[in-house]
């Protein structure tokens, strides 16, 4: 799984901190026990999963999730930048249009 935007959130009230160039590591199934909230709008992910035999195309559907704890590590090359603009559907909904 490749996170697009990652924030470190401090429970003591300090401002959220944008974290760039991360990969999720560890046991994915362990993350399910750390879910504390979910959104109500499912989103679709289409991408690739790395395997010993190479990359395998995958698709997943999930709402946004908030986890209390997750294991991440710094990428070897962390030049990825988050999107500059919100998703088009969010921009359209903010103008009063949309679904």
């Amino acid at each position: 799984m490749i996170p697009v935007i990652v924030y470190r959130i401090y429970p003591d009230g300090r401002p959220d901190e944008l974290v760039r160039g991360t990969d999720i590591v560890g046991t994915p199934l362990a993350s399910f026990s750390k879910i504390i909230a979910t959104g109500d709008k499912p989103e679709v992910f289409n991408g690739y999963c790395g395997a010993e035999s190479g990359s395998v195309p995958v698709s997943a559907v999930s709402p946004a999730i908030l986890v209390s704890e997750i294991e991440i590590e710094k990428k070897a090359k962390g030049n990825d930048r988050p999107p500059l603009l919100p998703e088009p559907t969010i921009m359209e909904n903010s103008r009063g249009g949309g679904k």
Side-chain angles (χ1 to χ4, degrees):
M1 184 183 321
I2 301 171
V4 177
I5 300 175
V6 176
Y7 284 94
R8 182 176 291 129
I9 300 171
Y10 296 98
D12 63 4
R14 287 182 280 170
D16 298 349
E17 178 183 345
L18 178 63
V19 180
R20 293 191 179 179
T22 62
D23 280 325
I24 297 174
V25 297
T27 308
L29 294 177
S31 299
F32 286 119
S33 66
K34 308 286 185 179
I35 295 173
I36 56 177
T38 65
D40 57 1
K41 180 183 171 203
E43 299 286 341
V44 177
F45 167 79
N46 294 304
Y48 293 90
C49 181
E52 288 183 23
S53 60
S55 294
V56 178
V58 295
S59 293
V61 177
S62 173
I65 60 171
L66 176 63
V67 293
S68 60
E69 182 180 323
I70 195 160
E71 191 175 344
I72 61 171
E73 70 180 7
K74 193 86 167 151
K75 285 184 179 182
K77 183 178 180 184
N79 291 342
D80 293 345
R81 293 184 171 240
L84 296 174
L85 300 172
E87 296 176 41
T89 56
I90 293 173
M91 290 174 57
E92 187 164 322
N93 287 337
S94 69
R95 286 187 251 145
K99 302 173 190 168

